[in-house]
Amino acid sequence: MDLRARAATLAVLAFLGFVAAGCADLPGSAGPSPAPSHPPYDPTPADFEAVEDLLAERATAALQGDEAAFLATVDPRDDKLVDQQQTIFTNLQQLPLKSLAYQVKTLDRTPDEVRNDGVLFAPQVTEVAQLEEAHRAPVANATDMTFVRHDGDWVIGRDRAAPEDRYSRPWFGGPVTAASGRSVLVVTERDGPTGAAALLDRVSTARAEIKEALESVWRGEEREPALLVDATYNGHPPGDTFEGDDGAAAVTYWVDASGSRSGFAGAVIKDNPEASNRLATDDHTLRHELSHVYGPALVPTWVNEGLAEYLSGCKDNICGEDEQRDKLLAHERAIPGDGEWGEDGSIDYALSHAAVSWLIDENGGLERFLEFCNDFYLHLPSGSDDFHDGTDKALQESYGITQEQLVEGTWAWFERLRSD
């Protein structure tokens, strides 16, 4: 190989090595900016105290409506962070915020990377807040904050949603608006399909009807349970409730009271922003979820979900069962147990709806069915945590029928559905 050919070959190999190393910027291009410098740091007790003081100032600013003081707790060098925190502050002002505090544990976590240089520190921070009408007591939610030392003081360098199974922070995310009534707070997206006041009217009407229907099993004998209806993109429901094509349109769950208080602080109905039948626009979904707030608790899933479908206003040839009539008629004839319920969501809802509808409409009405619900826990076999295991005995005691007869009635209900 002559010298010119050898030189050309070496040039090509050098260029390929340059690209393979991930440095494909051409000569003269700006290239990536260097990462900020974050030297290792071992926090002292004084650092934990300083962050506690900083967050106390932040909570006071939120409660007093002092935006400047609130944003003073944030690294001013990060424009995106400042914008995020300004939205959070504005959201908090839209809500009936009764109390807000932060608890800092002397536990040093791995900090997130932040946009600016400085020493990083990530203690475990819990946000404890109470919203009027939505909470009977403060509610604790984990946070994921990283602090950076700027001009000698600690400030928030990054604020993310904590990777928890669930959290109820409707203010953490996009812009919201709110409306409240007696023991209920409704929060919607600021530019969503339905305003908070309009949704509150629908919630109030539906709630009164559901409460009246479920008066004999209502868990709020002493006082109305507090309720948060969260029709926003913010927050995170339990588990993987909204994942997949068959994700729930909404979910209802209860939040614990914080600290030494026992019991629940209130219920949350959380909307799935990706669903077509959203709380903000669909009364069936709204009534279904309200039935979970006031309905029986110590019953199998097929009873709980079937009753919610029944009270939501579903009738024959409504709510999709008719679209799967042939599939339902050909399905294995059995009522799903708690352990398997949800493996085929749409089918399981339909089975539960049909079984409950048959019991109510053809075996003594809603009042008798609710008596069956109230007594169900008495028939659970010792040591079992699957309430469906008590179905046989409960049916025999309350209705004088077997589970096989319930199955026959369920499929007879399907057969009466219109096939169009």
Side-chain angles (χ1 to χ4, degrees):
M1 179 181 295
D2 62 26
L3 293 177
R4 286 177 297 178
R6 183 170 181 272
T9 300
L10 291 174
V12 169
L13 290 174
F15 177 77
L16 291 175
F18 181 73
V19 173
C23 302
D25 293 303
L26 297 176
S29 65
S33 58
S37 174
H38 301 126
Y41 184 71
D42 187 15
T44 67
D47 295 319
F48 286 94
E49 292 177 7
V51 166
E52 284 183 339
D53 292 342
L54 176 78
L55 294 177
E57 294 171 3
R58 176 184 175 87
T60 299
L63 291 166
Q64 294 180 349
D66 188 340
E67 181 177 21
F70 187 89
L71 294 179
T73 65
V74 176
D75 190 343
R77 300 172 296 174
D78 188 337
D79 292 339
K80 289 185 176 181
L81 175 65
V82 172
D83 288 344
Q84 177 211 34
Q85 296 294 304
Q86 194 164 34
T87 298
I88 291 173
F89 174 83
T90 302
N91 286 347
L92 287 169
Q93 304 313 300
Q94 299 294 313
L95 300 171
L97 189 62
K98 184 175 182 178
S99 66
L100 178 66
Y102 295 90
Q103 299 171 349
V104 181
K105 289 188 177 180
T106 54
L107 175 65
D108 186 22
R109 300 160 45 252
T110 301
D112 286 329
E113 288 297 314
V114 301
R115 296 175 182 274
N116 298 303
D117 60 2
V119 171
L120 301 184
F121 175 37
Q124 182 175 316
V125 177
T126 301
E127 185 179 59
V128 184
Q130 183 175 2
L131 301 176
E132 290 278 9
E133 307 298 348
H135 302 139
R136 294 296 181 204
V139 173
N141 287 290
T143 72
D144 190 355
M145 288 184 176
T146 292
F147 299 84
V148 59
R149 195 156 58 192
H150 175 54
D151 289 341
D153 295 317
W154 291 107
V155 288
I156 296 170
R158 190 168 188 186
D159 189 8
R160 300 194 304 174
E164 297 293 309
D165 286 341
R166 69 184 187 190
Y167 59 91
S168 176
R169 302 171 74 196
W171 56 86
F172 191 90
V176 304
T177 185
S180 57
R182 183 176 180 181
S183 299
V184 59
L185 172 65
V186 171
V187 187
T188 63
E189 298 151 16
R190 188 177 64 190
D191 300 319
T194 302
L199 182 54
L200 175 63
D201 287 342
R202 291 176 44 234
V203 169
S204 300
T205 299
R207 184 172 66 156
E209 294 171 356
I210 295 297
K211 283 173 57 182
E212 182 178 1
L214 295 173
E215 184 177 3
S216 63
V217 294
W218 181 33
R219 292 188 291 259
E221 292 87 353
E222 296 181 2
R223 59 177 175 172
E224 179 85 36
L227 175 63
L228 169 63
V229 179
D230 181 355
T232 73
Y233 285 91
N234 306 336
H236 192 278
D240 57 356
T241 308
F242 292 164
E243 293 181 5
D245 295 336
D246 291 330
V251 63
T252 297
Y253 61 96
W254 294 78
V255 289
D256 295 323
S258 175
S260 59
R261 295 175 180 267
S262 60
F264 295 119
V268 177
I269 297 178
K270 182 72 184 83
D271 191 23
N272 180 357
E274 304 303 323
S276 58
N277 50 337
R278 297 191 58 186
L279 286 174
T281 56
D282 182 56
D283 284 333
H284 157 239
T285 301
L286 177 60
R287 291 175 63 90
H288 179 107
E289 297 306 325
L290 285 167
S291 298
H292 288 318
V293 176
Y294 297 98
L298 304 179
V299 294
T301 305
W302 71 265
V303 172
N304 191 299
E305 295 295 347
L307 178 60
E309 283 291 89
Y310 184 89
L311 293 175
S312 72
C314 282
K315 301 295 183 184
D316 285 6
N317 206 40
I318 300 179
C319 302
E321 280 86 344
D322 59 307
E323 299 173 5
Q324 305 184 74
R325 181 176 183 273
D326 292 341
K327 185 177 180 180
L328 290 165
L329 288 173
H331 194 272
E332 177 190 1
R333 299 200 169 196
I335 303 299
D338 287 1
E340 60 186 343
W341 203 98
E343 292 178 2
D344 191 342
S346 60
I347 292 293
D348 290 341
Y349 273 108
L351 293 176
S352 303
H353 179 200
V356 170
S357 296
W358 181 76
L359 284 172
I360 293 175
D361 293 341
E362 301 187 29
N363 293 273
L366 179 60
E367 184 176 350
R368 186 179 183 185
F369 181 78
L370 295 180
E371 291 174 357
F372 162 74
C373 293
N374 288 340
D375 293 340
F376 205 103
Y377 74 97
L378 299 173
H379 308 303
L380 183 67
S382 177
S384 174
D385 57 1
D386 186 334
F387 271 92
H388 184 54
D389 292 342
T391 293
D392 286 319
K393 189 174 180 181
L395 287 170
Q396 185 64 46
E397 292 293 330
S398 295
Y399 285 103
I401 64 173
T402 64
Q403 188 171 172
E404 288 73 20
Q405 289 174 298
L406 171 64
V407 169
E408 291 175 4
T410 298
W411 264 262
W413 189 90
F414 288 141
E415 289 170 354
R416 289 193 295 272
L417 289 175
R418 295 201 304 271
S419 59
D420 54 355

